[in-house]
Amino acid sequence: EVLRSRQKYEDIPQWMKMYAESSIDTHEFFKFDRFEYKDLDDWQKMLLKLYREDLRKVIRYYEDYRASLLREIMERTKKEGEQVSSDMEIANRHTVCHDQ
């Protein structure tokens, strides 16, 4: 599926990729009324593919970031758990010494 997705992405002409990344101000240079419906429909599908690919990249970025945060939380929780356990052992020893 990934290979198929890449092939579809690579089928998109370079000019379309540049158009998708360009400022809206430059879009007025295209005179869409001069093109046939089939061409416009194909280009719309290409743009949709590009936008979906961009969305996947954003999602992957945030998922990686979220996973990193979760790892950090787990490590800190583990360290704090070890610290709490160590503190409890010290407190228990202290209590045992005073009880005798």
Side-chain angles (χ1 to χ4, degrees):
E1 184 172 310
V2 173
L3 179 59
R4 197 172 357 154
S5 174
R6 283 197 180 133
Q7 287 172 339
K8 290 179 184 178
Y9 184 76
E10 291 171 356
D11 291 343
I12 298 172
Q14 186 62 35
W15 69 266
M16 178 62 74
K17 294 174 187 176
M18 291 173 59
Y19 175 81
E21 295 173 2
S22 68
S23 166
I24 281 187
D25 297 335
T26 62
H27 294 186
E28 67 187 40
F29 295 114
F30 280 91
K31 307 292 183 200
F32 290 115
D33 58 333
R34 297 183 183 178
F35 296 97
E36 292 188 25
Y37 174 82
K38 174 69 173 126
D39 292 330
L40 295 173
D41 190 49
D42 288 344
W43 295 342
Q44 186 274 336
K45 290 175 185 174
M46 289 180 202
L47 280 174
L48 186 59
K49 288 178 189 177
L50 288 171
Y51 294 144
R52 284 182 177 162
E53 181 63 29
D54 286 346
L55 184 57
R56 284 186 196 103
K57 289 177 185 176
V58 169
I59 290 169
R60 275 190 296 256
Y61 169 81
Y62 282 105
E63 283 297 318
D64 289 347
Y65 183 71
R66 190 182 65 78
S68 295
L69 284 174
L70 187 57
R71 275 193 302 277
E72 182 65 23
I73 289 169
M74 297 296 282
E75 286 178 23
R76 288 185 185 193
T77 302
K78 182 180 173 186
K79 286 179 185 176
E80 287 178 8
E82 290 172 357
Q83 182 63 41
V84 167
S85 177
S86 176
D87 290 346
M88 289 176 69
E89 287 177 20
I90 292 170
N92 286 338
R93 279 191 229 137
H94 189 284
T95 303
V96 170
C97 290
H98 284 295
D99 289 343
Q100 293 177 354

